[in-house]
Amino acid sequence: MTLKLVTATPADLPKIKELYLSAFPAVERIPFWLLKKRTKTGIAEFCSLYDDDNWVGFIYTVKNAELVYVFFFFFF
């Protein structure tokens, strides 16, 4: 399994959004536009998960100098 930062592979973002909206109940979700906005400020990251060349999921993390918090994690 490999992780790829989504800013390096922006083509994965539509797949991430589709999976995010289908995998997590509405009451647990943060608006997707807000998740993307946080990645632009550098406090959060989307990473794609790959099994060989097959996209299998994503991780969304929020970080500071001392801590990385996994907010959303899904793979299939």
Side-chain angles (χ1 to χ4, degrees):
M1 185 112 19
T2 36
L3 286 173
K4 293 183 183 178
L5 190 59
V6 171
T7 53
T9 54
D12 289 347
L13 203 53
K15 294 185 282 191
I16 289 171
K17 182 177 181 180
E18 182 180 338
L19 182 57
Y20 173 73
L21 293 175
S22 66
F24 297 98
V27 297
E28 294 179 6
R29 291 191 308 248
I30 296 169
F32 197 75
W33 65 266
L34 184 56
L35 297 178
K36 284 182 11 183
K37 182 177 179 179
R38 289 183 177 163
T39 64
K40 292 179 183 179
T41 63
I43 62 169
E45 294 178 336
F46 277 113
C47 289
S48 285
L49 296 167
Y50 283 87
D51 183 16
D52 294 323
D53 289 334
N54 299 315
W55 184 82
V56 294
F58 74 93
I59 296 174
Y60 181 81
T61 59
V62 176
K63 60 186 178 163
N64 66 24
E66 300 174 9
L67 178 70
V68 175
Y69 179 79
V70 176
F71 238 85
F72 297 100
F73 173 66
F74 190 89
F75 76 99
F76 48 96

Coordinates of all heavy atoms in Angstrom, one line a residue:
M1 N 0.9 -1.2 0.0 CA 0.0 0.0 0.0 C 0.9 1.2 0.0 O 1.9 1.3 0.7 CB -0.9 0.0 1.2 CG -1.9 1.0 1.3 SD -3.7 0.7 1.1 CE -3.9 -1.0 1.4
T2 N 0.5 2.2 -0.8 CA 1.3 3.5 -0.9 C 0.3 4.6 -0.7 O -0.8 4.6 -1.0 CB 2.0 3.7 -2.2 OG1 1.2 3.2 -3.2 CG2 3.4 3.1 -2.3
L3 N 0.9 5.7 -0.1 CA 0.1 7.0 0.1 C 0.7 8.0 -0.9 O 1.9 8.1 -1.1 CB 0.4 7.5 1.5 CG -0.3 6.9 2.6 CD1 0.2 7.5 3.9 CD2 -1.8 7.0 2.5
K4 N -0.2 8.7 -1.5 CA 0.2 9.8 -2.4 C -0.6 11.1 -2.0 O -1.8 11.0 -1.9 CB -0.1 9.5 -3.9 CG 0.7 8.4 -4.4 CD 0.4 8.1 -5.9 CE 1.2 6.9 -6.4 NZ 0.9 6.6 -7.8
L5 N 0.1 12.1 -1.8 CA -0.5 13.4 -1.5 C -1.3 13.9 -2.6 O -0.9 13.8 -3.8 CB 0.6 14.4 -1.2 CG 0.1 15.8 -0.5 CD1 -0.6 15.5 0.8 CD2 1.4 16.6 -0.3
V6 N -2.6 14.3 -2.4 CA -3.5 14.6 -3.5 C -3.1 15.8 -4.2 O -3.4 15.9 -5.4 CB -5.0 14.7 -2.9 CG1 -5.9 15.2 -4.0 CG2 -5.4 13.3 -2.5
T7 N -2.4 16.7 -3.6 CA -1.9 17.9 -4.4 C -1.0 17.5 -5.5 O -0.9 18.1 -6.5 CB -1.2 18.9 -3.5 OG1 -0.2 18.3 -2.7 CG2 -2.2 19.6 -2.5
A8 N -0.3 16.3 -5.3 CA 0.5 15.8 -6.3 C -0.3 15.0 -7.3 O 0.2 14.7 -8.5 CB 1.6 14.9 -5.7
T9 N -1.4 14.5 -7.0 CA -2.3 13.7 -7.9 C -3.7 14.3 -7.8 O -4.6 13.6 -7.3 CB -2.3 12.2 -7.5 OG1 -2.6 12.1 -6.1 CG2 -1.0 11.6 -7.8
P10 N -3.9 15.5 -8.3 CA -5.3 16.1 -8.1 C -6.4 15.4 -8.9 O -7.6 15.6 -8.6 CB -5.1 17.6 -8.7 CG -3.8 17.5 -9.5 CD -3.0 16.4 -9.0
A11 N -6.0 14.6 -9.8 CA -7.1 13.8 -10.5 C -7.8 12.9 -9.6 O -8.9 12.5 -9.9 CB -6.4 13.0 -11.7
D12 N -7.3 12.6 -8.4 CA -8.0 11.7 -7.5 C -9.1 12.4 -6.7 O -9.9 11.8 -6.1 CB -7.0 11.2 -6.4 CG -6.0 10.1 -7.1 OD1 -6.3 9.7 -8.2 OD2 -5.0 9.8 -6.4
L13 N -9.1 13.7 -6.7 CA -10.0 14.5 -5.9 C -11.5 14.1 -6.2 O -12.3 14.0 -5.3 CB -9.8 16.0 -6.0 CG -10.3 16.8 -4.9 CD1 -9.8 16.3 -3.5 CD2 -9.9 18.3 -5.0
P14 N -11.9 14.0 -7.5 CA -13.3 13.6 -7.7 C -13.7 12.3 -7.1 O -14.8 12.1 -6.6 CB -13.4 13.6 -9.2 CG -12.4 14.6 -9.7 CD -11.3 14.4 -8.7
K15 N -12.7 11.3 -7.2 CA -13.0 10.0 -6.6 C -13.1 10.1 -5.1 O -13.9 9.4 -4.5 CB -11.9 9.0 -7.0 CG -11.8 8.7 -8.5 CD -10.7 7.7 -8.7 CE -9.3 8.3 -8.7 NZ -8.3 7.4 -9.2
I16 N -12.3 10.9 -4.5 CA -12.3 11.1 -3.1 C -13.6 11.7 -2.7 O -14.3 11.2 -1.7 CB -11.1 11.9 -2.6 CG1 -9.8 11.2 -2.7 CG2 -11.3 12.4 -1.2 CD1 -8.6 12.0 -2.5
K17 N -14.1 12.7 -3.4 CA -15.3 13.3 -3.0 C -16.5 12.3 -3.1 O -17.3 12.3 -2.2 CB -15.6 14.5 -3.9 CG -16.9 15.3 -3.6 CD -17.1 16.5 -4.4 CE -18.3 17.2 -4.0 NZ -18.6 18.4 -4.8
E18 N -16.5 11.6 -4.2 CA -17.6 10.6 -4.4 C -17.6 9.6 -3.3 O -18.7 9.2 -2.7 CB -17.5 9.9 -5.7 CG -18.5 8.9 -6.0 CD -18.3 8.2 -7.4 OE1 -17.6 8.8 -8.3 OE2 -18.9 7.1 -7.6
L19 N -16.4 9.0 -2.9 CA -16.3 8.1 -1.9 C -16.7 8.7 -0.5 O -17.4 8.1 0.3 CB -14.9 7.5 -1.8 CG -14.7 6.4 -0.8 CD1 -15.7 5.2 -0.9 CD2 -13.3 5.9 -0.8
Y20 N -16.2 9.9 -0.3 CA -16.5 10.6 1.0 C -18.0 10.8 1.2 O -18.6 10.5 2.3 CB -15.8 12.0 1.0 CG -16.1 12.9 2.1 CD1 -15.6 12.6 3.4 CD2 -16.9 14.0 1.9 CE1 -15.9 13.5 4.4 CE2 -17.2 14.9 3.0 CZ -16.7 14.6 4.2 OH -17.0 15.5 5.3
L21 N -18.7 11.2 0.1 CA -20.2 11.4 0.2 C -21.0 10.1 0.4 O -22.0 10.1 1.0 CB -20.6 12.2 -1.0 CG -20.1 13.7 -1.0 CD1 -20.6 14.3 -2.4 CD2 -20.5 14.5 0.2
S22 N -20.5 9.1 -0.2 CA -21.2 7.8 -0.1 C -20.8 7.0 1.2 O -21.7 6.2 1.6 CB -21.0 7.0 -1.3 OG -19.6 6.5 -1.4
A23 N -19.6 7.2 1.7 CA -19.2 6.3 2.8 C -19.5 6.8 4.2 O -19.6 6.0 5.1 CB -17.7 6.1 2.7
F24 N -19.6 8.1 4.3 CA -19.9 8.7 5.6 C -21.3 9.3 5.7 O -21.7 10.0 4.8 CB -18.8 9.8 5.9 CG -17.4 9.2 6.0 CD1 -16.6 9.3 4.9 CD2 -17.0 8.6 7.1 CE1 -15.3 8.8 5.0 CE2 -15.7 8.0 7.2 CZ -14.8 8.1 6.1
P25 N -22.0 9.0 6.8 CA -23.3 9.6 7.0 C -23.3 11.1 7.0 O -22.3 11.7 7.5 CB -23.8 9.1 8.3 CG -22.9 7.9 8.6 CD -21.6 8.2 7.9
A26 N -24.3 11.8 6.5 CA -24.4 13.2 6.5 C -24.1 13.9 7.8 O -23.4 14.9 7.9 CB -25.7 13.7 5.9
V27 N -24.5 13.3 8.9 CA -24.3 13.9 10.2 C -22.8 13.8 10.7 O -22.4 14.5 11.6 CB -25.2 13.2 11.3 CG1 -26.6 13.4 11.0 CG2 -24.8 11.7 11.5
E28 N -22.0 13.0 10.0 CA -20.6 12.9 10.3 C -19.7 13.7 9.4 O -18.5 13.8 9.6 CB -20.2 11.4 10.3 CG -20.8 10.6 11.4 CD -20.4 9.1 11.3 OE1 -19.5 8.8 10.5 OE2 -20.9 8.3 12.1
R29 N -20.3 14.2 8.3 CA -19.5 14.9 7.3 C -19.3 16.3 7.6 O -20.2 17.0 8.2 CB -20.1 14.7 5.9 CG -20.0 13.3 5.4 CD -20.4 13.2 3.9 NE -21.7 13.9 3.6 CZ -22.7 13.2 3.2 NH1 -22.7 11.9 3.1 NH2 -23.8 13.9 2.9
I30 N -18.2 16.9 7.2 CA -17.9 18.3 7.1 C -18.1 18.7 5.6 O -17.8 17.9 4.8 CB -16.4 18.6 7.5 CG1 -16.3 18.2 9.0 CG2 -16.1 20.0 7.3 CD1 -14.8 18.1 9.5
P31 N -18.6 19.9 5.3 CA -18.8 20.2 3.9 C -17.5 20.0 3.1 O -16.4 20.4 3.6 CB -19.2 21.7 4.0 CG -19.8 21.8 5.3 CD -19.1 20.9 6.2
F32 N -17.6 19.4 2.0 CA -16.4 19.0 1.2 C -15.6 20.3 0.8 O -14.3 20.3 0.8 CB -16.7 18.2 0.0 CG -15.5 17.5 -0.6 CD1 -15.0 16.4 0.0 CD2 -14.9 18.0 -1.7 CE1 -13.9 15.7 -0.5 CE2 -13.8 17.3 -2.3 CZ -13.3 16.2 -1.6
W33 N -16.3 21.4 0.5 CA -15.6 22.6 0.2 C -14.7 23.1 1.3 O -13.6 23.6 1.1 CB -16.5 23.7 -0.3 CG -17.5 24.2 0.8 CD1 -18.7 23.8 1.1 CD2 -17.2 25.2 1.8 NE1 -19.2 24.4 2.2 CE2 -18.3 25.3 2.6 CE3 -16.1 26.0 2.0 CZ2 -18.4 26.2 3.7 CZ3 -16.1 26.9 3.1 CH2 -17.3 27.0 3.9
L34 N -15.1 22.9 2.5 CA -14.3 23.3 3.7 C -13.1 22.4 3.9 O -12.0 22.9 4.2 CB -15.2 23.3 5.0 CG -14.5 23.8 6.2 CD1 -14.0 25.2 6.1 CD2 -15.5 23.7 7.4
L35 N -13.3 21.1 3.6 CA -12.1 20.2 3.7 C -11.0 20.6 2.6 O -9.9 20.7 3.0 CB -12.5 18.8 3.4 CG -13.5 18.1 4.4 CD1 -13.8 16.7 4.0 CD2 -12.9 18.1 5.8
K36 N -11.5 20.9 1.4 CA -10.6 21.4 0.4 C -9.9 22.7 0.8 O -8.7 22.9 0.6 CB -11.3 21.6 -0.9 CG -11.6 20.2 -1.6 CD -12.2 20.3 -3.0 CE -12.3 21.6 -3.6 NZ -13.0 21.6 -4.9
K37 N -10.7 23.6 1.4 CA -10.1 24.9 1.8 C -9.0 24.8 2.8 O -8.0 25.4 2.7 CB -11.3 25.8 2.3 CG -10.8 27.2 2.7 CD -12.0 28.0 3.2 CE -11.5 29.4 3.6 NZ -12.6 30.3 4.0
R38 N -9.2 23.9 3.7 CA -8.2 23.6 4.8 C -6.9 23.1 4.2 O -5.8 23.3 4.7 CB -8.7 22.7 5.9 CG -9.8 23.4 6.7 CD -10.2 22.5 7.8 NE -11.2 23.2 8.7 CZ -12.0 22.6 9.5 NH1 -11.9 21.3 9.6 NH2 -12.8 23.3 10.3
T39 N -7.0 22.3 3.1 CA -5.8 21.8 2.5 C -5.0 22.9 1.8 O -3.8 22.9 1.8 CB -6.1 20.7 1.4 OG1 -6.8 21.3 0.3 CG2 -6.8 19.5 2.0
K40 N -5.7 24.0 1.4 CA -5.0 25.1 0.7 C -4.3 26.0 1.8 O -3.3 26.6 1.4 CB -6.0 25.9 -0.1 CG -6.5 25.2 -1.3 CD -7.5 26.0 -2.0 CE -8.1 25.2 -3.2 NZ -9.1 25.8 -4.0
T41 N -4.7 25.9 3.0 CA -4.0 26.7 4.1 C -2.8 25.9 4.6 O -2.0 26.5 5.4 CB -5.0 27.0 5.2 OG1 -5.4 25.8 5.8 CG2 -6.2 27.9 4.7
G42 N -2.7 24.6 4.3 CA -1.6 23.8 4.8 C -1.8 23.1 6.1 O -1.0 22.5 6.6
I43 N -3.0 23.3 6.7 CA -3.3 22.6 8.0 C -3.9 21.2 7.9 O -4.0 20.5 8.8 CB -4.2 23.5 8.9 CG1 -5.5 23.7 8.3 CG2 -3.5 24.8 9.3 CD1 -6.6 24.3 9.3
A44 N -4.2 20.9 6.6 CA -4.8 19.6 6.4 C -4.3 19.0 5.1 O -3.8 19.8 4.2 CB -6.3 19.7 6.3
E45 N -4.5 17.7 4.9 CA -4.0 17.0 3.7 C -5.0 15.9 3.3 O -5.5 15.2 4.2 CB -2.6 16.4 3.9 CG -1.5 17.3 4.1 CD -0.2 16.6 4.3 OE1 -0.2 15.4 4.7 OE2 0.8 17.3 4.0
F46 N -5.2 15.7 2.0 CA -5.8 14.5 1.5 C -4.7 13.7 0.9 O -3.8 14.2 0.2 CB -6.8 14.8 0.3 CG -8.1 15.3 0.7 CD1 -8.6 16.6 0.4 CD2 -9.0 14.4 1.2 CE1 -9.9 17.0 0.7 CE2 -10.3 14.8 1.5 CZ -10.7 16.1 1.3
C47 N -4.7 12.4 1.3 CA -3.8 11.4 0.7 C -4.6 10.3 0.1 O -5.5 9.8 0.7 CB -2.8 10.9 1.7 SG -1.6 12.1 2.3
S48 N -4.2 9.9 -1.1 CA -4.8 8.8 -1.8 C -4.1 7.5 -1.4 O -2.8 7.5 -1.2 CB -4.7 8.9 -3.3 OG -5.7 9.8 -3.7
L49 N -4.8 6.4 -1.2 CA -4.2 5.1 -1.0 C -4.2 4.3 -2.2 O -5.3 4.2 -2.9 CB -5.0 4.4 0.1 CG -5.1 5.0 1.5 CD1 -6.2 4.4 2.3 CD2 -3.7 4.9 2.2
Y50 N -3.1 3.7 -2.5 CA -3.0 2.8 -3.7 C -2.5 1.4 -3.3 O -1.6 1.3 -2.5 CB -2.0 3.4 -4.7 CG -2.5 4.6 -5.5 CD1 -2.5 5.9 -5.0 CD2 -3.1 4.4 -6.7 CE1 -3.0 6.9 -5.7 CE2 -3.7 5.4 -7.4 CZ -3.6 6.7 -6.9 OH -4.1 7.7 -7.7
D51 N -3.0 0.4 -3.9 CA -2.5 -0.9 -3.9 C -2.0 -1.2 -5.2 O -2.7 -1.4 -6.2 CB -3.7 -1.9 -3.5 CG -3.2 -3.3 -3.3 OD1 -2.0 -3.5 -3.2 OD2 -4.1 -4.2 -3.4
D52 N -0.7 -1.2 -5.4 CA 0.0 -1.2 -6.7 C -0.4 0.0 -7.4 O -0.3 1.1 -6.9 CB -0.2 -2.5 -7.4 CG 0.4 -3.7 -6.7 OD1 1.5 -3.5 -6.2 OD2 -0.2 -4.8 -6.8
D53 N -1.1 -0.1 -8.6 CA -1.5 1.1 -9.3 C -3.0 1.3 -9.2 O -3.6 2.2 -9.8 CB -1.2 0.9 -10.8 CG 0.2 1.0 -11.1 OD1 1.0 1.7 -10.3 OD2 0.7 0.4 -12.1
N54 N -3.7 0.6 -8.3 CA -5.1 0.7 -8.1 C -5.4 1.6 -6.9 O -5.0 1.4 -5.8 CB -5.7 -0.7 -7.8 CG -5.5 -1.7 -8.9 OD1 -5.7 -1.3 -10.1 ND2 -5.1 -2.9 -8.6
W55 N -6.3 2.6 -7.2 CA -6.7 3.5 -6.2 C -7.7 2.8 -5.3 O -8.7 2.2 -5.7 CB -7.4 4.7 -6.8 CG -7.8 5.8 -5.8 CD1 -7.0 6.7 -5.3 CD2 -9.1 6.0 -5.3 NE1 -7.7 7.5 -4.4 CE2 -9.0 7.1 -4.4 CE3 -10.3 5.4 -5.4 CZ2 -10.1 7.6 -3.7 CZ3 -11.4 5.8 -4.7 CH2 -11.3 6.9 -3.8
V56 N -7.5 2.8 -3.9 CA -8.3 2.0 -3.0 C -8.9 2.8 -1.9 O -9.6 2.3 -1.0 CB -7.6 0.8 -2.5 CG1 -7.3 -0.2 -3.6 CG2 -6.3 1.2 -1.7
G57 N -8.6 4.1 -1.8 CA -9.2 4.9 -0.7 C -8.4 6.2 -0.5 O -7.6 6.6 -1.3
F58 N -8.7 6.8 0.7 CA -8.1 8.1 1.0 C -8.0 8.2 2.6 O -8.7 7.6 3.3 CB -8.9 9.2 0.4 CG -10.2 9.5 1.1 CD1 -10.2 10.5 2.1 CD2 -11.3 8.9 0.7 CE1 -11.4 10.8 2.8 CE2 -12.5 9.2 1.4 CZ -12.6 10.1 2.4
I59 N -7.2 9.2 2.9 CA -7.0 9.6 4.3 C -7.1 11.1 4.3 O -6.5 11.8 3.4 CB -5.7 9.1 4.9 CG1 -5.6 7.6 5.0 CG2 -5.5 9.7 6.3 CD1 -4.3 7.1 5.5
Y60 N -7.8 11.7 5.2 CA -7.8 13.2 5.4 C -7.3 13.4 6.8 O -7.8 12.9 7.8 CB -9.2 13.7 5.3 CG -9.3 15.2 5.4 CD1 -9.0 16.1 4.4 CD2 -9.7 15.8 6.7 CE1 -9.1 17.4 4.5 CE2 -9.7 17.2 6.8 CZ -9.4 18.0 5.7 OH -9.5 19.3 5.9
T61 N -6.2 14.2 6.9 CA -5.6 14.5 8.2 C -5.5 16.0 8.4 O -5.5 16.8 7.5 CB -4.1 14.0 8.2 OG1 -3.4 14.5 7.2 CG2 -4.1 12.5 8.1
V62 N -5.5 16.4 9.7 CA -5.3 17.8 10.1 C -4.1 17.7 11.0 O -4.0 16.8 11.8 CB -6.6 18.3 10.9 CG1 -6.3 19.7 11.5 CG2 -7.8 18.3 10.0
K63 N -3.2 18.7 10.9 CA -2.0 18.6 11.6 C -1.5 20.0 12.1 O -2.0 21.0 11.7 CB -0.9 18.1 10.6 CG -0.7 19.0 9.4 CD 0.3 18.4 8.4 CE 0.3 19.4 7.2 NZ 1.4 19.2 6.4
N64 N -0.7 19.9 13.1 CA 0.1 21.0 13.6 C 1.5 20.6 13.9 O 1.9 19.5 13.5 CB -0.6 21.7 14.9 CG -0.6 20.8 16.1 OD1 0.3 19.9 16.2 ND2 -1.5 21.0 17.0
A65 N 2.3 21.4 14.6 CA 3.7 21.1 14.7 C 3.9 19.8 15.6 O 5.0 19.2 15.4 CB 4.4 22.3 15.4
E66 N 3.0 19.4 16.4 CA 3.2 18.3 17.3 C 2.3 17.1 17.1 O 2.5 16.1 17.7 CB 3.0 18.8 18.7 CG 3.9 19.9 19.2 CD 3.6 20.5 20.5 OE1 2.7 19.9 21.2 OE2 4.2 21.5 20.9
L67 N 1.2 17.2 16.2 CA 0.2 16.2 16.2 C -0.4 16.1 14.8 O -0.5 17.1 14.1 CB -0.9 16.6 17.1 CG -2.1 15.8 17.2 CD1 -1.8 14.5 17.9 CD2 -3.2 16.5 18.0
V68 N -0.7 14.9 14.4 CA -1.4 14.6 13.2 C -2.7 13.9 13.6 O -2.6 12.8 14.2 CB -0.6 13.8 12.1 CG1 -1.5 13.5 10.9 CG2 0.6 14.6 11.7
Y69 N -3.9 14.4 13.2 CA -5.1 13.8 13.6 C -5.8 13.2 12.3 O -6.0 14.0 11.3 CB -6.0 14.8 14.2 CG -7.4 14.3 14.6 CD1 -7.6 13.6 15.7 CD2 -8.5 14.5 13.8 CE1 -8.8 13.1 16.1 CE2 -9.8 14.0 14.1 CZ -9.9 13.3 15.3 OH -11.1 12.8 15.6
V70 N -6.1 12.0 12.3 CA -6.8 11.3 11.1 C -8.3 11.6 11.3 O -8.9 11.1 12.2 CB -6.5 9.8 11.1 CG1 -7.3 9.2 9.9 CG2 -5.0 9.6 10.9
F71 N -8.8 12.5 10.4 CA -10.2 12.9 10.5 C -11.0 11.9 9.8 O -12.1 11.5 10.3 CB -10.3 14.3 9.8 CG -10.9 15.3 10.7 CD1 -10.1 16.0 11.6 CD2 -12.3 15.6 10.7 CE1 -10.7 17.0 12.4 CE2 -12.8 16.5 11.5 CZ -12.0 17.2 12.3
F72 N -10.7 11.5 8.5 CA -11.4 10.6 7.7 C -10.5 9.6 7.1 O -9.4 10.0 6.6 CB -12.2 11.3 6.6 CG -13.3 12.2 7.1 CD1 -13.1 13.6 7.2 CD2 -14.5 11.7 7.6 CE1 -14.0 14.4 7.6 CE2 -15.4 12.6 8.1 CZ -15.2 13.9 8.1
F73 N -10.8 8.3 7.1 CA -10.0 7.2 6.6 C -10.9 6.2 6.0 O -11.8 5.7 6.7 CB -9.1 6.6 7.7 CG -8.3 5.4 7.3 CD1 -7.3 5.5 6.3 CD2 -8.6 4.2 7.9 CE1 -6.6 4.4 6.0 CE2 -7.9 3.1 7.5 CZ -6.9 3.2 6.6
F74 N -10.7 5.9 4.7 CA -11.6 4.9 4.1 C -10.8 4.2 3.0 O -10.2 4.8 2.2 CB -12.9 5.5 3.5 CG -13.8 4.5 3.1 CD1 -14.8 4.0 4.0 CD2 -13.8 3.9 1.8 CE1 -15.7 3.0 3.6 CE2 -14.7 2.9 1.4 CZ -15.7 2.5 2.3
F75 N -10.9 2.9 3.0 CA -10.4 2.1 1.9 C -11.2 0.8 1.7 O -11.9 0.4 2.6 CB -8.9 1.8 2.0 CG -8.5 0.7 3.0 CD1 -8.3 -0.6 2.6 CD2 -8.5 1.0 4.4 CE1 -8.0 -1.6 3.5 CE2 -8.2 0.0 5.3 CZ -7.9 -1.3 4.8
F76 N -11.1 0.3 0.5 CA -11.9 -0.9 0.2 C -11.0 -1.9 -0.5 O -9.9 -1.7 -0.8 CB -13.1 -0.6 -0.7 CG -12.8 0.3 -1.9 CD1 -12.6 -0.3 -3.1 CD2 -12.8 1.7 -1.8 CE1 -12.4 0.5 -4.2 CE2 -12.6 2.5 -2.9 CZ -12.3 1.9 -4.1

